[in-house]
Amino acid sequence: MPTSPATLTEARRLRDLFAAKGAQVIKADVLQPAETLLDLYGEDIRARSYVTSDPLRGEMVLRPDFTVPVVQMHMESRADPARYTYSGKVFRKQETDETRANEYVQVGYEVFDGQNPAGADAEVFAAIAEGLAGLPVRAATGDIGVLMAAVRGLRTTDGRKAALLRHIWRPGRFRALMKRFGSGQMPPARAALLAADDPFADAGPDIGLRSRKEVAARIDALRADAAAAPIASEEIALIDAILALRETAPNVLSALRDIAVDMPAIGDAVAGMDARLDAMAARGIDVANLEFEGSYGRTSLEYYDGFVFGFYAADRPDHPPVATGGRYDALTAQLGQGRAVPAVGGVIRPDLALGVRAC
């Protein structure tokens, strides 16, 4: 059970394991300010959060995860470097599968350290792997940073790149945008709107939250997009090649080096992956057999922007991940009022770990 005595005992074991590595044990309030948190999560978590109203504090949310509150606390403390561990419940609605728990325990390990990002990635991955030692689990890895760098390197407008970056975590929408930006075509309704001499003719009274001035600015942006040249098919093919990668990490690294010849924008991200694999190998991780997927992490939390990973029951691919984690540098900048600290972390669900052990 997600909150059984056995689960709580396992949670304490994991928290103590991480504390022994120098992590400070911390707590986060169960009720968190909704306005601050919900804007930072992906659509999935926002839709599954329990929101309530407090007469003094406004909208509050039951803690859907620990990372955002931990980042807030760290950025206020201005400690650097720092390591944290925690154990406690998180709460998420389950609207389609009543067998999945809507409250369960997470145990996490978070590292804020800009001295050696590759080393910090390896440290967190190795710590989570140690917490799961002896269990029949497989690891999967990816790097959202490679895809972000590829998008930023496209020879197209800033508006198109911003749209693609915004929808990286929505694979269907991302694919549709790439297709449209590459073809130069647009939906018929949009084409008719932009062809009109006066888009506001017969529009009726102003309704909704947007002013007429804001609507006009959006129409101007659509006209500018329509006038832009299509994204080259060669660049789209390179993005597709990155997303299709699914091999052992060393083989993916070799393929990415080849892609970087034609797309130099990913060079730094590929070098970071190379350094991370070296750091992981130095910690005893079998990187030669480590799985890497070019599209991995695109349906998880939207604050990840680099290395991402998960551990899964080896013989139950239908089960949720036992542990997940990744790098979230941009999140610290959002919460740090202009100050950013490279950060990476991971969480384990002790109830799922116990379930894997019992299989």
Side-chain angles (χ1 to χ4, degrees):
M1 296 293 291
T3 57
S4 68
T7 295
L8 298 179
T9 298
E10 176 67 1
R12 285 192 295 270
R13 181 191 74 83
L14 291 167
R15 186 198 60 193
D16 291 347
L17 171 69
F18 298 149
K21 297 180 181 298
Q24 176 185 348
V25 178
I26 58 172
K27 295 182 179 180
D29 292 338
V30 172
L31 275 176
Q32 296 284 332
E35 183 178 4
T36 302
L37 268 71
L38 293 184
D39 286 343
L40 300 172
Y41 291 114
E43 288 182 354
D44 177 60
I45 300 301
R46 285 196 294 270
R48 293 166 57 201
S49 295
Y50 290 97
V51 180
T52 186
S53 180
D54 183 278
L56 296 178
R57 296 175 178 83
E59 279 202 330
M60 304 292 287
V61 60
L62 284 176
R63 183 177 61 210
D65 95 327
F66 275 89
T67 299
V68 173
V70 169
V71 171
Q72 286 181 304
M73 181 206 69
H74 174 79
M75 300 311 287
E76 291 170 0
S77 72
R78 306 189 72 84
D80 189 27
R83 284 156 177 76
Y84 305 106
T85 185
Y86 48 82
S87 173
K89 288 184 182 180
V90 297
F91 306 84
R92 299 180 189 179
K93 299 176 186 175
Q94 303 294 348
E95 297 181 349
T96 60
D97 185 355
E98 63 182 14
T99 66
R100 295 185 66 178
N102 57 0
E103 61 178 277
Y104 51 86
V105 175
Q106 278 187 347
V107 184
Y109 184 61
E110 314 282 342
V111 174
F112 295 78
D113 190 347
Q115 301 288 324
N116 182 1
D121 287 348
E123 176 185 342
V124 169
F125 183 90
I128 299 296
E130 184 179 345
L132 302 175
L135 299 183
V137 294
R138 68 171 184 88
T141 65
D143 195 330
I144 297 293
V146 173
L147 181 57
M148 286 182 161
V151 169
R152 292 187 179 109
L154 291 171
R155 290 170 293 181
T156 189
T157 66
D158 290 342
R160 286 180 173 179
K161 287 189 276 191
L164 289 167
L165 288 169
R166 188 167 58 251
H167 291 290
I168 276 179
W169 291 272
R170 304 167 188 87
R173 179 62 175 159
F174 183 90
R175 170 58 53 202
L177 285 174
M178 287 294 293
K179 182 178 180 180
R180 178 159 65 83
F181 294 158
S183 68
Q185 298 176 349
M186 68 180 73
R190 179 175 297 182
L193 173 70
L194 299 185
D197 292 333
D198 180 6
F200 292 99
D202 302 320
D206 294 347
I207 60 175
L209 298 178
R210 291 186 176 87
S211 67
R212 180 166 292 222
K213 182 178 180 180
E214 290 172 317
V215 174
R218 175 58 178 162
I219 292 173
D220 289 342
L222 292 176
R223 286 200 174 104
D225 179 74
I231 296 176
S233 59
E234 295 83 3
E235 291 191 318
I236 293 176
L238 291 172
I239 296 282
D240 288 342
I242 291 171
L243 292 174
L245 291 171
R246 186 166 186 167
E247 247 286 4
T248 60
N251 287 339
V252 168
L253 180 61
S254 178
L256 286 173
R257 284 173 174 154
D258 291 339
I259 293 172
V261 173
D262 297 312
M263 185 173 270
I266 70 171
D268 288 345
V270 175
M273 178 181 172
D274 189 10
R276 179 170 64 247
L277 291 178
D278 286 345
M280 294 171 80
R283 287 184 172 270
I285 303 299
D286 180 14
V287 297
N289 294 300
L290 185 64
E291 297 179 20
F292 187 101
E293 301 173 26
S295 196
Y296 185 78
R298 295 179 66 206
T299 56
S300 60
L301 297 175
E302 292 184 17
Y303 52 64
Y304 290 137
D305 57 3
F307 176 51
V308 283
F309 65 87
F311 286 84
Y312 301 81
D315 56 350
R316 294 301 303 268
D318 56 315
H319 277 202
V322 178
T324 56
R327 176 160 289 280
Y328 48 87
D329 294 351
L331 180 61
T332 69
Q334 287 179 277
L335 294 174
Q337 299 179 336
R339 174 175 170 260
V341 179
V344 59
V347 296
I348 295 176
R349 279 190 57 175
D351 61 315
L352 296 181
L354 290 175
V356 170
R357 181 176 290 124
C359 291

